[in-house]
Amino acid sequence: MGVKKHILVIPGDGIGAEVTTWGKAVLEQIASEFGHEFTFDEALMGHVAIEATGSPLPDETLDKAKASDAILFGAVGHAKYDNDPSAKVRPEQGLLKIRKELGLYANLRPILLFDELLDASSLKPEILRGTDILFFRELTGDVYFGEKKRNEDRTWASDLMNYHRYEVERIARKAYEAARVRNKKVCSVDKANVLETSRLWREVVQEIAAEYPDVETEHMFIDNAAMQLVKNPRKFDVVLTANLFGDILTDEASQIAGSMGMLASASVGDGTGFFEPIHGSAHDIAGQNKANPLASILSAALMLEIGFGLKEEAKRVTDAVDHVLKQGFRTGDIANASTPADKVLGSDAMGQKVLHFLRSK
Ligand code: IPM
Ligand code: MG
Protein backbone atom coordinates (compact mmCIF):
# COMPACT_ATOMS: atom_id res chain seq x y z
CA MET A 1 0.00 0.00 0.00
CA GLY A 2 1.38 3.35 -1.03
CA VAL A 3 1.43 6.29 1.37
CA LYS A 4 0.34 9.88 0.72
CA LYS A 5 2.66 12.62 1.93
CA HIS A 6 2.87 16.36 1.43
CA ILE A 7 6.44 17.67 1.36
CA LEU A 8 7.55 21.28 1.64
CA VAL A 9 10.82 22.12 -0.12
CA ILE A 10 12.68 25.14 1.30
CA PRO A 11 15.76 25.64 -0.89
CA GLY A 12 16.97 28.73 1.04
CA ASP A 13 20.22 30.45 0.07
CA GLY A 14 23.43 29.80 -1.84
CA ILE A 15 23.75 26.23 -3.08
CA GLY A 16 20.43 25.32 -1.39
CA ALA A 17 18.41 25.31 -4.62
CA GLU A 18 21.03 23.35 -6.57
CA VAL A 19 21.11 20.54 -4.03
CA THR A 20 17.43 20.29 -2.99
CA THR A 21 16.53 19.87 -6.67
CA TRP A 22 18.19 16.45 -6.46
CA GLY A 23 16.79 15.50 -3.08
CA LYS A 24 13.35 16.21 -4.47
CA ALA A 25 14.01 14.38 -7.76
CA VAL A 26 15.01 11.29 -5.78
CA LEU A 27 11.83 11.46 -3.68
CA GLU A 28 9.74 11.70 -6.86
CA GLN A 29 11.51 8.69 -8.32
CA ILE A 30 11.00 6.63 -5.17
CA ALA A 31 7.31 7.59 -5.07
CA SER A 32 6.73 6.41 -8.61
CA GLU A 33 8.68 3.19 -8.10
CA PHE A 34 6.99 2.19 -4.83
CA GLY A 35 3.51 3.52 -5.61
CA HIS A 36 3.49 6.36 -3.08
CA GLU A 37 1.90 9.73 -3.66
CA PHE A 38 4.21 12.59 -2.72
CA THR A 39 3.00 16.13 -3.40
CA PHE A 40 5.36 19.10 -3.19
CA ASP A 41 5.21 22.78 -2.41
CA GLU A 42 8.00 25.34 -2.09
CA ALA A 43 8.65 28.27 0.26
CA LEU A 44 11.24 30.94 1.08
CA MET A 45 13.62 31.18 4.02
CA GLY A 46 16.87 32.99 4.82
CA HIS A 47 18.46 35.76 2.77
CA VAL A 48 16.15 35.17 -0.20
CA ALA A 49 13.17 35.58 2.12
CA ILE A 50 14.59 38.77 3.65
CA GLU A 51 15.05 40.22 0.16
CA ALA A 52 11.50 39.29 -0.88
CA THR A 53 9.55 39.99 2.31
CA GLY A 54 11.83 41.58 4.93
CA SER A 55 11.61 38.49 7.15
CA PRO A 56 13.96 35.46 7.21
CA LEU A 57 10.95 33.24 7.99
CA PRO A 58 7.77 34.68 6.44
CA ASP A 59 4.45 33.62 8.03
CA GLU A 60 3.49 31.95 4.78
CA THR A 61 6.51 29.65 5.03
CA LEU A 62 5.75 28.77 8.63
CA ASP A 63 2.09 28.04 7.80
CA LYS A 64 3.10 25.82 4.89
CA ALA A 65 5.67 24.08 7.11
CA LYS A 66 3.10 23.30 9.79
CA ALA A 67 0.71 21.94 7.18
CA SER A 68 3.27 19.57 5.64
CA ASP A 69 4.29 16.01 6.57
CA ALA A 70 7.99 16.72 6.12
CA ILE A 71 10.33 19.47 5.02
CA LEU A 72 13.30 19.16 2.69
CA PHE A 73 15.60 22.06 3.44
CA GLY A 74 18.71 23.36 1.66
CA ALA A 75 20.73 25.99 3.56
CA VAL A 76 20.60 29.59 4.80
CA GLY A 77 23.26 32.24 5.10
CA HIS A 78 24.98 35.03 3.23
CA ALA A 79 28.50 36.47 3.56
CA LYS A 80 27.04 39.96 3.70
CA TYR A 81 25.72 39.31 7.23
CA ASP A 82 28.76 37.35 8.42
CA ASN A 83 30.88 40.46 8.13
CA ASP A 84 28.25 42.73 9.61
CA PRO A 85 27.79 41.83 13.28
CA SER A 86 25.39 44.76 13.73
CA ALA A 87 22.79 43.38 11.28
CA LYS A 88 19.51 43.01 13.19
CA VAL A 89 17.81 40.74 10.68
CA ARG A 90 19.85 37.66 9.70
CA PRO A 91 19.13 34.61 7.51
CA GLU A 92 20.00 32.17 10.35
CA GLN A 93 17.16 33.56 12.46
CA GLY A 94 14.77 31.89 10.04
CA LEU A 95 16.29 28.48 10.67
CA LEU A 96 16.37 28.92 14.44
CA LYS A 97 12.78 30.11 14.49
CA ILE A 98 11.43 27.23 12.43
CA ARG A 99 13.26 24.74 14.69
CA LYS A 100 11.62 26.33 17.72
CA GLU A 101 8.16 26.73 16.17
CA LEU A 102 8.03 23.13 14.95
CA GLY A 103 9.48 21.82 18.23
CA LEU A 104 12.39 20.12 16.43
CA TYR A 105 14.33 19.39 19.58
CA ALA A 106 16.34 16.40 18.37
CA ASN A 107 18.87 16.75 15.58
CA LEU A 108 20.11 13.39 14.33
CA ARG A 109 23.38 13.52 12.45
CA PRO A 110 24.58 10.11 11.29
CA ILE A 111 28.25 9.92 10.32
CA LEU A 112 27.79 7.56 7.44
CA LEU A 113 31.09 6.36 6.08
CA PHE A 114 31.25 5.12 2.51
CA ASP A 115 34.33 2.90 2.11
CA GLU A 116 35.06 4.45 -1.25
CA LEU A 117 35.58 7.80 0.42
CA LEU A 118 38.10 6.68 3.03
CA ASP A 119 40.83 8.51 1.16
CA ALA A 120 38.77 11.71 0.73
CA SER A 121 39.18 12.48 4.42
CA SER A 122 42.05 14.44 5.89
CA LEU A 123 42.33 11.64 8.48
CA LYS A 124 44.14 8.35 7.93
CA PRO A 125 41.97 5.53 6.49
CA GLU A 126 43.11 3.08 9.19
CA ILE A 127 41.77 5.45 11.88
CA LEU A 128 38.44 5.85 10.09
CA ARG A 129 37.59 2.39 8.79
CA GLY A 130 34.54 0.94 10.54
CA THR A 131 33.41 4.23 12.14
CA ASP A 132 29.65 4.50 12.60
CA ILE A 133 28.45 7.33 14.82
CA LEU A 134 24.97 8.75 15.33
CA PHE A 135 24.90 12.20 16.93
CA PHE A 136 21.90 13.40 18.91
CA ARG A 137 22.28 17.14 19.15
CA GLU A 138 19.73 19.01 21.25
CA LEU A 139 18.31 21.70 18.95
CA THR A 140 15.86 24.06 20.63
CA GLY A 141 17.58 25.06 23.87
CA ASP A 142 20.98 26.08 25.23
CA VAL A 143 22.82 29.34 24.61
CA TYR A 144 21.23 29.43 21.14
CA PHE A 145 17.86 30.40 22.59
CA GLY A 146 18.78 32.05 25.92
CA GLU A 147 18.30 35.75 26.47
CA LYS A 148 20.73 37.97 24.54
CA LYS A 149 21.84 41.30 25.97
CA ARG A 150 24.07 44.28 25.25
CA ASN A 151 24.64 47.17 27.62
CA GLU A 152 23.89 50.73 26.56
CA ASP A 153 27.39 51.76 25.53
CA ARG A 154 27.72 48.36 23.80
CA THR A 155 30.91 47.39 25.65
CA TRP A 156 29.41 44.25 27.20
CA ALA A 157 27.35 41.35 25.83
CA SER A 158 25.72 38.26 27.25
CA ASP A 159 24.07 35.09 25.88
CA LEU A 160 22.29 33.09 28.52
CA MET A 161 23.07 29.37 28.47
CA ASN A 162 20.19 27.49 30.07
CA TYR A 163 18.45 24.13 30.05
CA HIS A 164 15.29 22.76 31.60
CA ARG A 165 15.26 19.22 32.91
CA TYR A 166 12.50 18.18 30.47
CA GLU A 167 14.60 19.35 27.53
CA VAL A 168 17.44 17.06 28.52
CA GLU A 169 15.12 14.18 29.36
CA ARG A 170 13.34 14.02 26.02
CA ILE A 171 16.47 14.06 23.88
CA ALA A 172 18.27 11.63 26.16
CA ARG A 173 15.38 9.17 25.78
CA LYS A 174 15.57 9.41 22.01
CA ALA A 175 19.33 8.77 22.11
CA TYR A 176 18.97 5.72 24.36
CA GLU A 177 16.16 4.28 22.25
CA ALA A 178 18.41 4.60 19.19
CA ALA A 179 21.41 3.08 20.98
CA ARG A 180 19.28 0.04 21.84
CA VAL A 181 18.93 -0.89 18.20
CA ARG A 182 22.55 0.01 17.38
CA ASN A 183 25.70 -0.88 19.32
CA LYS A 184 24.19 -0.13 22.74
CA LYS A 185 26.57 2.65 23.74
CA VAL A 186 25.79 6.27 24.59
CA CYS A 187 28.51 8.85 25.10
CA SER A 188 27.03 11.98 26.68
CA VAL A 189 29.19 15.04 26.07
CA ASP A 190 29.15 18.06 28.39
CA LYS A 191 31.37 20.43 30.37
CA ALA A 192 30.18 19.44 33.83
CA ASN A 193 33.51 20.39 35.40
CA VAL A 194 32.67 24.05 34.69
CA LEU A 195 29.07 24.65 33.64
CA GLU A 196 25.97 24.39 35.82
CA THR A 197 23.83 23.57 32.75
CA SER A 198 26.18 20.63 32.13
CA ARG A 199 25.79 19.43 35.70
CA LEU A 200 22.02 19.39 35.22
CA TRP A 201 22.56 17.65 31.88
CA ARG A 202 24.72 14.95 33.47
CA GLU A 203 22.32 14.45 36.39
CA VAL A 204 19.37 13.91 34.06
CA VAL A 205 21.31 11.66 31.66
CA GLN A 206 22.38 9.50 34.62
CA GLU A 207 18.72 9.07 35.59
CA ILE A 208 17.63 8.16 32.07
CA ALA A 209 20.63 5.82 31.74
CA ALA A 210 19.31 3.85 34.72
CA GLU A 211 16.17 3.08 32.67
CA TYR A 212 18.36 1.49 29.99
CA PRO A 213 20.64 -0.94 31.84
CA ASP A 214 21.32 -2.76 28.56
CA VAL A 215 23.00 0.36 27.16
CA GLU A 216 26.50 1.31 28.25
CA THR A 217 26.90 4.97 29.26
CA GLU A 218 30.00 7.11 29.19
CA HIS A 219 30.21 10.81 30.15
CA MET A 220 32.87 12.86 28.44
CA PHE A 221 33.90 16.51 28.59
CA ILE A 222 33.54 18.41 25.33
CA ASP A 223 37.24 19.24 25.01
CA ASN A 224 38.19 15.59 25.45
CA ALA A 225 35.43 14.48 23.05
CA ALA A 226 36.74 16.84 20.36
CA MET A 227 40.12 15.15 20.70
CA GLN A 228 38.87 11.53 20.95
CA LEU A 229 36.74 12.01 17.84
CA VAL A 230 39.78 12.35 15.62
CA LYS A 231 42.03 10.09 17.69
CA ASN A 232 39.75 7.08 17.77
CA PRO A 233 36.36 7.70 16.14
CA ARG A 234 35.52 3.98 16.20
CA LYS A 235 35.00 4.05 19.95
CA PHE A 236 31.76 6.06 19.55
CA ASP A 237 28.28 4.75 18.84
CA VAL A 238 25.56 7.23 19.90
CA VAL A 239 26.83 10.66 20.96
CA LEU A 240 24.35 12.74 22.96
CA THR A 241 25.06 16.42 23.43
CA ALA A 242 23.75 19.95 23.81
CA ASN A 243 23.04 22.43 21.03
CA LEU A 244 26.30 24.39 20.85
CA PHE A 245 28.62 21.45 21.56
CA GLY A 246 26.74 19.40 18.96
CA ASP A 247 27.04 22.15 16.37
CA ILE A 248 30.81 22.17 16.73
CA LEU A 249 31.40 18.43 17.14
CA THR A 250 29.33 17.49 14.08
CA ASP A 251 31.28 19.81 11.79
CA GLU A 252 34.42 18.17 13.11
CA ALA A 253 32.90 14.72 12.60
CA SER A 254 31.96 15.54 9.02
CA GLN A 255 35.65 15.17 8.17
CA ILE A 256 35.38 11.52 9.16
CA ALA A 257 32.94 11.06 6.29
CA GLY A 258 35.29 12.82 3.91
CA SER A 259 33.36 16.01 3.34
CA MET A 260 30.61 18.23 4.69
CA GLY A 261 29.07 17.60 1.27
CA MET A 262 28.16 14.05 2.29
CA LEU A 263 26.34 14.49 5.58
CA ALA A 264 22.61 14.59 6.03
CA SER A 265 20.60 15.35 9.13
CA ALA A 266 17.10 14.90 10.49
CA SER A 267 15.56 17.31 12.96
CA VAL A 268 12.59 15.82 14.72
CA GLY A 269 10.26 16.52 17.58
CA ASP A 270 6.76 15.29 17.99
CA GLY A 271 5.36 16.49 14.64
CA THR A 272 6.64 17.42 11.18
CA GLY A 273 10.27 16.43 10.57
CA PHE A 274 12.88 18.63 8.92
CA PHE A 275 15.59 17.11 6.72
CA GLU A 276 18.70 18.95 5.67
CA PRO A 277 22.35 18.62 4.73
CA ILE A 278 24.70 19.73 7.49
CA HIS A 279 26.66 21.87 5.02
CA GLY A 280 25.80 25.52 4.70
CA SER A 281 24.95 27.84 1.83
CA ALA A 282 28.53 27.84 0.38
CA HIS A 283 28.14 31.10 -1.52
CA ASP A 284 31.66 30.76 -2.90
CA ILE A 285 30.49 27.95 -5.20
CA ALA A 286 26.79 28.84 -5.54
CA GLY A 287 25.36 28.90 -9.04
CA GLN A 288 28.41 27.15 -10.50
CA ASN A 289 27.04 23.60 -10.66
CA LYS A 290 29.81 22.44 -8.31
CA ALA A 291 27.95 21.63 -5.09
CA ASN A 292 27.72 18.03 -3.94
CA PRO A 293 24.02 17.01 -4.09
CA LEU A 294 24.61 13.78 -2.15
CA ALA A 295 23.93 15.28 1.29
CA SER A 296 20.53 16.48 0.08
CA ILE A 297 19.85 13.09 -1.52
CA LEU A 298 20.84 11.40 1.76
CA SER A 299 18.58 13.86 3.61
CA ALA A 300 15.75 12.61 1.39
CA ALA A 301 16.70 9.07 2.49
CA LEU A 302 16.45 10.14 6.13
CA MET A 303 13.03 11.63 5.40
CA LEU A 304 11.90 8.30 3.98
CA GLU A 305 13.27 6.33 6.92
CA ILE A 306 12.77 8.54 9.97
CA GLY A 307 10.00 10.79 8.72
CA PHE A 308 7.81 8.22 6.97
CA GLY A 309 9.08 4.87 8.31
CA LEU A 310 9.86 3.68 4.75
CA LYS A 311 13.02 1.67 5.43
CA GLU A 312 13.26 -0.23 2.16
CA GLU A 313 12.82 2.95 0.14
CA ALA A 314 15.51 4.70 2.20
CA LYS A 315 17.90 1.84 1.62
CA ARG A 316 17.31 2.05 -2.14
CA VAL A 317 18.55 5.63 -1.99
CA THR A 318 21.66 4.98 0.12
CA ASP A 319 22.48 1.96 -2.05
CA ALA A 320 22.22 4.17 -5.14
CA VAL A 321 24.66 6.69 -3.63
CA ASP A 322 26.99 3.86 -2.69
CA HIS A 323 26.81 2.44 -6.21
CA VAL A 324 27.63 5.78 -7.86
CA LEU A 325 30.62 6.23 -5.54
CA LYS A 326 31.76 2.67 -6.27
CA GLN A 327 31.71 3.51 -9.97
CA GLY A 328 34.25 6.16 -9.10
CA PHE A 329 32.13 9.27 -9.64
CA ARG A 330 32.97 12.25 -7.43
CA THR A 331 32.04 15.88 -7.03
CA GLY A 332 34.98 18.25 -6.52
CA ASP A 333 34.79 18.18 -2.71
CA ILE A 334 35.30 14.40 -2.55
CA ALA A 335 37.68 13.99 -5.50
CA ASN A 336 41.42 13.75 -5.01
CA ALA A 337 44.55 13.87 -7.15
CA SER A 338 44.03 10.29 -8.38
CA THR A 339 40.41 10.81 -9.49
CA PRO A 340 40.34 10.69 -13.33
CA ALA A 341 39.11 13.99 -14.78
CA ASP A 342 36.12 12.34 -16.50
CA LYS A 343 34.86 11.05 -13.14
CA VAL A 344 34.71 14.48 -11.53
CA LEU A 345 31.12 15.63 -11.93
CA GLY A 346 29.11 18.79 -11.39
CA SER A 347 25.98 18.85 -9.20
CA ASP A 348 23.60 18.02 -12.02
CA ALA A 349 25.62 15.17 -13.48
CA MET A 350 26.04 13.64 -10.02
CA GLY A 351 22.30 13.94 -9.33
CA GLN A 352 21.59 12.36 -12.73
CA LYS A 353 23.88 9.42 -11.95
CA VAL A 354 21.96 8.62 -8.77
CA LEU A 355 18.64 9.00 -10.52
CA HIS A 356 19.79 6.89 -13.44
CA PHE A 357 20.77 4.06 -11.10
CA LEU A 358 17.41 4.24 -9.29
CA ARG A 359 15.55 4.10 -12.61
CA SER A 360 17.62 1.27 -14.01
CA LYS A 361 16.70 -1.18 -11.23
C1 IPM B 1 23.84 23.96 11.71
C2 IPM B 1 24.19 25.39 11.37
C3 IPM B 1 23.25 26.32 12.12
C4 IPM B 1 23.44 26.09 13.60
C5 IPM B 1 23.40 27.81 11.76
C6 IPM B 1 23.23 28.05 10.28
C7 IPM B 1 22.44 28.67 12.54
O1 IPM B 1 25.52 25.66 11.65
O2 IPM B 1 22.69 23.54 11.43
O3 IPM B 1 24.69 23.25 12.23
O4 IPM B 1 24.35 26.68 14.20
O5 IPM B 1 22.68 25.32 14.18
MG1 MG C 1 26.62 23.97 12.27
Side-chain angles (χ1 to χ4, degrees):
M1 256 297 274
V3 300
K4 264 186 159 175
K5 298 286 177 190
H6 185 62
I7 299 164
L8 181 65
V9 180
I10 307 182
D13 302 324
I15 59 171
E18 291 160 74
V19 299
T20 47
T21 297
W22 293 106
K24 180 182 174 200
V26 161
L27 288 169
E28 283 174 325
Q29 176 57 30
I30 290 290
S32 84
E33 184 184 332
F34 287 84
H36 301 307
E37 194 184 325
F38 294 167
T39 52
F40 294 88
D41 197 355
E42 208 173 291
L44 296 176
M45 193 161 109
H47 172 67
V48 288
I50 297 173
E51 297 282 282
T53 71
S55 160
L57 179 66
D59 289 343
E60 190 192 341
T61 301
L62 192 56
D63 291 344
K64 283 183 176 184
K66 287 181 176 162
S68 66
D69 295 304
I71 298 159
L72 184 72
F73 172 68
V76 286
H78 195 282
K80 154 177 164 189
Y81 308 86
D82 296 346
N83 300 320
D84 177 11
S86 67
K88 290 252 168 348
V89 181
R90 317 180 67 87
E92 290 81 3
Q93 291 162 345
L95 182 57
L96 298 180
K97 184 164 176 209
I98 203 168
R99 287 174 178 170
K100 196 72 173 176
E101 291 276 341
L102 296 180
L104 304 169
Y105 62 83
N107 183 219
L108 281 63
R109 296 188 162 180
I111 307 301
L112 196 62
L113 200 63
F114 292 92
D115 277 347
E116 299 72 36
L117 294 184
L118 277 176
D119 57 6
S121 173
S122 52
L123 300 173
K124 296 191 190 93
E126 61 268 30
I127 303 270
L128 300 177
R129 194 170 281 112
T131 298
D132 177 9
I133 308 175
L134 176 57
F135 279 90
F136 277 78
R137 167 189 174 195
E138 199 288 326
L139 204 59
T140 53
D142 202 353
V143 68
Y144 269 67
F145 291 93
E147 191 185 357
K148 297 180 186 305
K149 289 195 224 160
R150 247 324 162 93
N151 68 346
E152 240 161 58
D153 68 8
R154 304 191 64 77
T155 55
W156 170 90
S158 155
D159 296 278
L160 181 69
M161 177 180 268
N162 70 125
Y163 263 118
H164 290 277
R165 159 174 280 275
Y166 77 89
E167 293 175 305
V168 186
E169 255 173 43
R170 63 188 180 182
I171 181 133
R173 273 220 172 77
K174 279 206 191 287
Y176 276 90
E177 289 295 331
R180 252 193 185 155
V181 294
R182 290 175 47 97
N183 292 317
K184 299 192 164 48
K185 287 203 303 193
V186 169
C187 177
S188 173
V189 174
D190 62 30
K191 187 74 185 172
N193 50 348
V194 177
L195 301 174
E196 200 54 41
T197 42
S198 283
R199 289 192 271 271
L200 172 67
W201 181 278
R202 196 172 280 219
E203 210 174 287
V204 176
V205 172
Q206 280 167 350
E207 283 172 27
I208 303 291
E211 295 172 22
Y212 297 84
D214 51 325
V215 177
E216 185 190 315
T217 301
E218 184 178 8
H219 297 274
M220 202 181 272
F221 296 137
I222 176 68
D223 45 353
N224 185 24
M227 186 269 282
Q228 299 286 343
L229 202 55
V230 283
K231 186 178 176 208
N232 183 13
R234 267 192 299 263
K235 73 179 267 133
F236 296 99
D237 175 21
V238 169
V239 176
L240 164 64
T241 193
N243 203 345
L244 182 62
F245 297 154
D247 178 44
I248 300 167
L249 274 192
T250 53
D251 263 31
E252 186 191 358
S254 73
Q255 282 314 297
I256 294 170
S259 165
M260 293 266 285
M262 292 301 299
L263 288 195
S265 88
S267 302
V268 298
D270 299 315
T272 303
F274 190 90
F275 302 86
E276 60 169 313
I278 93 155
H279 64 65
S281 48
H283 277 273
D284 52 330
I285 58 164
Q288 298 173 35
N289 191 31
K290 279 188 184 163
N292 185 346
L294 296 178
S296 181
I297 290 172
L298 293 169
S299 299
L302 284 181
M303 180 186 291
L304 293 165
E305 184 180 345
I306 297 173
F308 305 156
L310 302 172
K311 291 209 164 57
E312 191 190 337
E313 288 83 339
K315 184 156 188 313
R316 285 275 292 135
V317 177
T318 46
D319 283 353
V321 170
D322 194 37
H323 176 83
V324 167
L325 293 172
K326 281 209 169 79
Q327 287 184 316
F329 294 110
R330 304 283 185 269
T331 41
D333 59 312
I334 47 174
N336 62 20
S338 58
T339 313
D342 64 331
K343 298 263 171 162
V344 183
L345 307 180
S347 318
D348 291 342
M350 182 56 109
Q352 288 293 359
K353 288 279 175 212
V354 175
L355 217 52
H356 178 80
F357 178 77
L358 286 172
R359 286 192 181 130
S360 68
K361 280 302 223 52

